[in-house]
Amino acid sequence: MMEGIFPPVLQVSSLGLILDLIGTYVFGLSGAVVAVRRRLDLFGIMVLAVAAALAGGMIRDMALGSTPPAALRDSRYLVAAMLAGATGFFFHHGIERVSKPVMVLDALGLGLFAITGAGKALLYGLSPIPAVMLGVLTATGGGAVRDLLVAEIPRVLREEVYAMAALVGAAIYVAGGEWGWPGFETALIGIAATVILRIVSVWRGWSAPRAPGSDSA
Amino acid sequence: MMEGIFPPVLQVSSLGLILDLIGTYVFGLSGAVVAVRRRLDLFGIMVLAVAAALAGGMIRDMALGSTPPAALRDSRYLVAAMLAGATGFFFHHGIERVSKPVMVLDALGLGLFAITGAGKALLYGLSPIPAVMLGVLTATGGGAVRDLLVAEIPRVLREEVYAMAALVGAAIYVAGGEWGWPGFETALIGIAATVILRIVSVWRGWSAPRAPGSDSA
Amino acid sequence: MMEGIFPPVLQVSSLGLILDLIGTYVFGLSGAVVAVRRRLDLFGIMVLAVAAALAGGMIRDMALGSTPPAALRDSRYLVAAMLAGATGFFFHHGIERVSKPVMVLDALGLGLFAITGAGKALLYGLSPIPAVMLGVLTATGGGAVRDLLVAEIPRVLREEVYAMAALVGAAIYVAGGEWGWPGFETALIGIAATVILRIVSVWRGWSAPRAPGSDSA
């Protein structure tokens, strides 16, 4: 079923693989930064980096019946996640200097995984709407596991434009595929849409409406 | 593998599908009401409604190897979950007027998913005891994910007769199948047993025994 | 697909099955003890015992595409988990007399599941590094679900040498398989390595380094 440590991953296009590995690294870095802030030790940092990096893709692959998941079949995912943990361990001061580093890393991972999740779902024959939904689940899953492990309410619930940003990116990518747009450019536009929407929403403090009358509840 | 947005779902009987969609809507509504109480915004309400509505069935399908899960293969599940989110957003005042709305919705979803989970497990060749167990897991999974996402200890642990109510309903349905009872009537009896057992246990404050001497621990 | 209540489980060697059932019982006991301490009632104790006992193996099997998971296909897993719950309910005073009972049970379960997880991954054709990783996931999954359900930060993050202990045990077992060591002895050595490493690390208060400068962050 597999040979060597770096087996060919046939089910995913090489573009999908590259975006997936970048997303893995970026989400891993967000997990490492959260772990450093929580004063976890080196092992705790590695665990949270790996969990944040791999959980979204593993949920995606298990839902698609693509088992074992790419994260287990292809060691590059684990290497990317552990590199992210090590980067967070050694360079967290540099990362912290960026304003709101977890938010920015998270936004980038969100965009990357929304596109790779939706793309892999299309490859497995899902129709457009469920493919967009699996993109959102892939994108929000890793961050949700990260936040749950440190007993925080996940960002996907707390923050206004989060699942929505992933949804827009995945929808652009899926719609582009339907309309025959070139894959690489569409992927970049989808990722950019998610990242920009997410960062601008935090920067401008956008908020969605509350349920009518819920403030007085 | 699938065509159109509303593909035929062959693995599930039409009775199972109808009960499953009602359970999806009802659990989605419980998620929406929890989200409104937590003052989440429209997006947060939608996320919690979708998570509560779809998590139990997705766990069930992934455990059975029925991938992609029905919730991703058949868009009606997502539509039911989002309708539940929208209902909660606009009509939460009306819902709140019912006494203990989350508990009642939860009890109904519990009964519906216990039966559909156990029934699908039997269709996939599981023997009776594991089928009952998967029914319980399906029924309690969505509510557990809902409660974990808002950082609450899940109802399945906090409340006395919860998993037990799902177990009784699933066991009635599975036993009925073994003994050749008619499927529709047995399903209704199983659902009613779960709902009544659950609601009466809350109303009468039934509690199971604590471990001997644990109060002084 | 399966016959009778105790179907033959072909995918797992009988050694793997025995270790898996012992691990199931031991993790179940850790769940029951946590539940008794939280003053949960009999049902809550059973739920937490079953969740702690079966979650790790179910995640392993779902990741390997070995569905339905052994925990659902073979009723002995459920029986072991419920026996653990009953043991915790009736004998928790005896168990509590052991110093740090949850930690010791957890260490033993960690070692057992690290080996069975890695071994089953090899049987399913995973290469060594991902097999070790799945061993760690199997070993840490049940305890993480147990701790999340009672709203605690999982041991795998809080405690210094935890995932690392599982990693060492799984790596010994996988390396032994690569080098042609006899399976039973290698499994015992791997389990012992995990348990000793974990218990000694707690006893001596070993800690891994924090990120440089994170104390002043």
Side-chain angles (χ1 to χ4, degrees):
Chain A
M1 198 176 280
M2 57 174 305
E3 307 136 67
I5 287 190
F6 291 161
V9 176
L10 298 169
Q11 287 89 338
V12 175
S13 68
S14 61
L15 172 63
L17 177 64
I18 292 165
L19 297 179
D20 223 25
L21 287 173
I22 300 175
T24 300
Y25 180 80
V26 163
F27 259 130
L29 212 46
S30 81
V33 173
V34 168
V36 170
R37 282 196 192 150
R38 291 297 192 115
R39 313 227 176 156
L40 296 175
D41 67 0
L42 178 57
F43 298 146
I45 292 168
M46 284 297 175
V47 168
L48 204 59
V50 169
L54 303 185
M58 287 185 67
I59 294 170
R60 173 197 66 199
D61 290 353
M62 287 159 71
L64 289 173
S66 169
T67 54
L72 291 179
R73 225 176 14 220
D74 182 338
S75 302
R76 283 172 290 190
Y77 285 90
L78 184 56
V79 169
M82 300 196 77
L83 273 178
T87 310
F89 182 74
F90 288 113
F91 302 114
H92 69 101
H93 269 148
I95 299 166
E96 293 283 353
R97 235 169 266 137
V98 184
S99 126
K100 309 200 172 195
V102 176
M103 191 278 287
V104 173
L105 293 169
D106 206 88
L108 190 52
L110 200 67
L112 288 159
F113 276 169
I115 267 60
T116 64
K120 191 158 182 176
L122 292 176
L123 277 179
Y124 274 73
L126 262 66
S127 50
I129 292 175
V132 169
M133 199 194 148
L134 192 62
V136 174
L137 183 63
T138 307
T140 58
V145 168
R146 176 197 64 209
D147 294 345
L148 287 175
L149 285 174
V150 293
E152 283 181 9
I153 295 186
R155 215 157 281 254
V156 65
L157 278 181
R158 269 181 319 174
E159 311 231 339
E160 277 71 20
V161 178
Y162 191 87
M164 181 50 63
L167 184 84
V168 168
I172 288 174
Y173 185 65
V174 168
E178 291 285 296
W179 298 332
W181 298 354
F184 181 67
E185 285 80 353
T186 316
L188 287 188
I189 293 170
I191 295 165
T194 298
V195 173
I196 291 170
L197 192 52
R198 172 80 186 120
I199 291 180
V200 170
S201 78
V202 172
W203 174 45
R204 309 286 307 200
W206 282 348
S207 67
R210 253 88 192 150
S214 69
D215 287 341
S216 61
Chain B
M1 196 176 282
M2 58 172 304
E3 306 135 68
I5 288 190
F6 291 161
V9 176
L10 298 170
Q11 288 89 339
V12 174
S13 67
S14 61
L15 173 63
L17 177 63
I18 291 164
L19 297 179
D20 223 27
L21 286 173
I22 300 175
T24 300
Y25 180 79
V26 163
F27 259 130
L29 212 46
S30 81
V33 173
V34 168
V36 170
R37 282 197 192 150
R38 291 298 191 115
R39 313 224 176 158
L40 296 176
D41 67 0
L42 178 57
F43 297 146
I45 292 168
M46 283 298 175
V47 168
L48 205 59
V50 169
L54 303 184
M58 287 185 69
I59 294 170
R60 174 196 67 200
D61 291 353
M62 286 159 72
L64 290 172
S66 169
T67 53
L72 291 179
R73 224 176 15 219
D74 183 338
S75 302
R76 283 172 291 190
Y77 286 90
L78 185 57
V79 169
M82 300 195 78
L83 273 178
T87 311
F89 182 75
F90 288 114
F91 302 113
H92 70 100
H93 269 148
I95 299 166
E96 294 282 353
R97 236 170 267 136
V98 184
S99 125
K100 308 199 172 194
V102 176
M103 191 276 288
V104 173
L105 293 169
D106 205 87
L108 190 53
L110 200 66
L112 289 158
F113 276 169
I115 268 59
T116 64
K120 191 158 182 176
L122 292 176
L123 278 180
Y124 274 73
L126 262 67
S127 50
I129 293 176
V132 170
M133 200 193 147
L134 193 62
V136 174
L137 184 63
T138 308
T140 58
V145 168
R146 175 196 63 208
D147 294 345
L148 287 175
L149 285 174
V150 293
E152 284 182 10
I153 295 186
R155 216 158 279 255
V156 66
L157 279 181
R158 268 181 319 172
E159 311 232 340
E160 277 71 21
V161 178
Y162 191 87
M164 179 52 61
L167 184 84
V168 168
I172 288 174
Y173 184 66
V174 169
E178 290 284 297
W179 297 332
W181 298 355
F184 180 67
E185 285 80 353
T186 316
L188 287 189
I189 294 170
I191 295 165
T194 297
V195 173
I196 291 169
L197 192 53
R198 172 80 186 121
I199 290 180
V200 170
S201 79
V202 172
W203 174 44
R204 309 286 307 198
W206 283 349
S207 65
R210 253 89 192 147
S214 70
D215 288 340
S216 61
Chain C
M1 198 176 281
M2 58 173 304
E3 306 136 67
I5 287 189
F6 291 161
V9 176
L10 297 170
Q11 288 89 338
V12 174
S13 68
S14 62
L15 173 63
L17 177 64
I18 291 165
L19 297 179
D20 222 26
L21 287 173
I22 300 175
T24 300
Y25 181 79
V26 163
F27 259 130
L29 212 46
S30 81
V33 173
V34 168
V36 170
R37 282 197 192 150
R38 292 296 191 116
R39 313 227 176 156
L40 296 175
D41 67 1
L42 178 56
F43 298 147
I45 293 168
M46 284 297 175
V47 168
L48 204 59
V50 169
L54 303 184
M58 286 185 69
I59 294 170
R60 174 198 65 202
D61 291 354
M62 286 159 72
L64 289 172
S66 168
T67 52
L72 291 179
R73 222 173 20 217
D74 182 338
S75 302
R76 284 173 290 190
Y77 285 91
L78 184 56
V79 169
M82 299 196 78
L83 273 177
T87 311
F89 182 74
F90 288 114
F91 302 114
H92 69 101
H93 269 147
I95 299 166
E96 293 282 353
R97 237 169 267 136
V98 185
S99 123
K100 308 200 171 192
V102 175
M103 191 276 288
V104 173
L105 293 168
D106 205 89
L108 190 53
L110 199 67
L112 288 158
F113 276 169
I115 268 59
T116 63
K120 191 158 183 176
L122 291 177
L123 278 180
Y124 273 74
L126 261 67
S127 51
I129 292 175
V132 170
M133 200 194 148
L134 192 62
V136 174
L137 183 62
T138 308
T140 58
V145 169
R146 176 197 63 208
D147 295 345
L148 287 175
L149 285 174
V150 294
E152 283 181 10
I153 295 186
R155 216 158 280 256
V156 66
L157 278 182
R158 268 181 319 172
E159 311 232 340
E160 276 71 20
V161 178
Y162 191 87
M164 180 51 63
L167 184 85
V168 168
I172 288 174
Y173 185 66
V174 169
E178 291 284 297
W179 298 331
W181 298 355
F184 181 67
E185 286 81 352
T186 315
L188 287 188
I189 294 171
I191 295 165
T194 298
V195 173
I196 292 169
L197 191 53
R198 171 80 186 120
I199 291 180
V200 170
S201 79
V202 172
W203 174 44
R204 309 286 308 200
W206 283 349
S207 66
R210 253 91 192 144
S214 70
D215 288 341
S216 60

